[in-house]
Amino acid sequence: MNRARDLAGYGAHPPDVRWPGGAGLAVNFVLNVEEGSEYSIGDGDGRSESALSEVRASRVPEGSRDLAAESMYEYGSRVGFWRLYDLFRDRDLPMTIFASALALERTPDIAAAIAATDWDICAHGYRWIEAYHLTPEVEEDHIARAYDSLLATIGRAPTGFYCRYSASAATRGLVAAHGGYEYDSDAYNDDLPYWTEVAGHSHLVVPYTMVTNDAKFLSGDTFSGRDFGEFLIDSFDVLHAEAKSKPRMMSVGLHSRIIGHPGRLAGLIRFMDHLAKHDDVWICRRNEIAQHWREVQPPARA
């Protein structure tokens, strides 16, 4: 399936809309819950996961079980998630969960904790594996299994869909054809949602980011929590200033096994403290962004 590129977007003329309460800037925190659904010998993948862990390259030969990497992932579900859970609940801040369905099947306490909140769910695949390695038939099955699994473990359906890193050429069409998803976040190309066409029908995209994302710690771009916090603050300040005349959206991407470590969490807390000083910002869930966009910028108007 050929997906046409749009290099223009809104360009110099973004929609003249406001977020609820008259806010110009929407801020959405996203927690990726993946631990337990990554590549593993035990799941028949023939290798252990090597990405987004505390070492640049595994010391264990490929094909052998990397117990260190598994343990680093386990920190996210055993400790990191609960540290973030407490932080967001103590501050009464909303959050979106990008959930790999198998991860929540394997961590029922985390699934129950999320179910007891009002956090919204965006399916992050059935497993945390790359869609572009799958055939369209297998990918279609994974998209449906993710929806059904999350509905069962959380008690409410995911409203959006997001792949690991990159969608395949077939993903958007398969997500739209499923019928249960209201949007996808498999794009990094805008500071606002936008409509696109899939099989003759309008489909909503709510872009995500790899920029204001704690993955920067493991890529080597950021080391200290203070640096990460300052980068979030700088990003926010520029968007907040622009939002006086143009609507803007800021996503903050988080992972339990990354930001859940104390020294890194300190940077997120600094950003939260800065955010709390502004009462003209809409801190929201991702499903709320999608719903608001449908109301103020429906496809016909776009």
Side-chain angles (χ1 to χ4, degrees):
M1 183 183 298
N2 182 30
R3 199 170 96 182
R5 297 182 69 187
D6 179 1
L7 298 176
Y10 294 120
H13 305 287
D16 183 18
V17 302
R18 296 281 93 182
W19 300 110
L25 175 60
V27 176
N28 173 232
F29 292 96
V30 173
L31 178 60
N32 293 264
V33 177
E34 303 155 346
E35 293 82 5
S37 67
E38 73 276 9
Y39 290 110
S40 72
I41 298 292
D43 284 321
D45 299 313
R47 65 181 180 88
S48 292
E49 182 61 69
S50 59
L52 287 190
S53 75
E54 297 296 326
V55 294
R56 297 291 180 87
S58 174
R59 297 157 173 84
V60 177
E62 186 167 333
S64 298
R65 188 176 174 189
D66 189 336
L67 295 174
E70 289 182 16
S71 187
M72 293 172 201
Y73 270 70
E74 290 164 9
Y75 186 92
S77 56
R78 291 165 62 108
V79 182
F81 171 83
W82 300 106
R83 185 169 279 136
L84 288 158
Y85 177 78
D86 289 343
L87 174 64
F88 275 82
R89 290 178 73 237
D90 288 347
R91 296 200 174 217
D92 194 26
L93 287 173
M95 181 158 59
T96 295
I97 303 295
F98 277 12
S100 296
L102 183 60
L104 289 182
E105 290 180 11
R106 290 176 169 173
T107 54
D109 287 348
I110 290 177
I114 294 170
T117 71
D118 62 357
W119 300 344
D120 62 310
I121 311 299
C122 177
H124 195 15
Y126 181 70
R127 294 186 61 197
W128 194 58
I129 59 178
E130 295 94 340
Y132 49 83
H133 288 321
L134 306 176
T135 65
E137 293 75 20
V138 172
E139 187 179 3
E140 180 180 31
D141 177 63
H142 279 216
I143 289 168
R145 289 173 69 189
Y147 186 94
D148 294 342
S149 173
L150 291 168
L151 179 57
T153 56
I154 304 298
R156 54 186 182 268
T159 52
F161 192 90
Y162 173 67
C163 290
R164 172 175 174 171
Y165 176 63
S166 175
S168 76
T171 303
R172 183 161 290 162
L174 294 172
V175 169
H178 177 273
Y181 297 101
E182 299 174 12
Y183 69 90
D184 78 64
S185 285
D186 284 314
Y188 308 94
N189 54 2
D190 215 302
D191 290 323
L192 289 174
Y194 59 87
W195 293 97
T196 188
E197 187 174 293
V198 178
H201 299 280
S202 296
H203 176 77
L204 184 62
V205 179
V206 182
Y208 188 48
T209 185
M210 292 293 186
V211 180
T212 46
N213 191 306
D214 68 359
K216 296 290 188 183
F217 284 110
L218 301 186
S219 66
D221 296 309
T222 298
F223 177 75
S224 75
R226 185 178 298 275
D227 287 345
F228 184 64
E230 288 301 315
F231 184 72
L232 293 180
I233 290 169
D234 287 345
S235 300
F236 171 86
D237 285 349
V238 171
L239 289 169
H240 184 255
E242 292 180 349
K244 289 180 173 61
S245 59
K246 300 176 182 178
R248 289 289 186 253
M249 178 183 75
M250 178 179 180
S251 299
V252 180
L254 308 169
H255 301 74
S256 299
R257 65 188 177 277
I258 303 177
I259 200 72
H261 287 273
R264 294 171 179 157
L265 194 75
L268 178 62
I269 291 171
R270 286 189 176 91
F271 173 63
M272 288 178 169
D273 290 342
H274 183 75
L275 188 59
K277 299 173 185 176
H278 298 80
D279 58 7
D280 59 346
V281 175
W282 186 39
I283 307 173
C284 57
R285 300 184 296 267
R286 211 164 188 82
N287 65 338
E288 293 177 303
I289 291 174
Q291 179 181 350
H292 185 74
W293 205 255
R294 288 180 181 277
E295 294 172 356
V296 302
Q297 193 70 10
R301 191 177 304 171

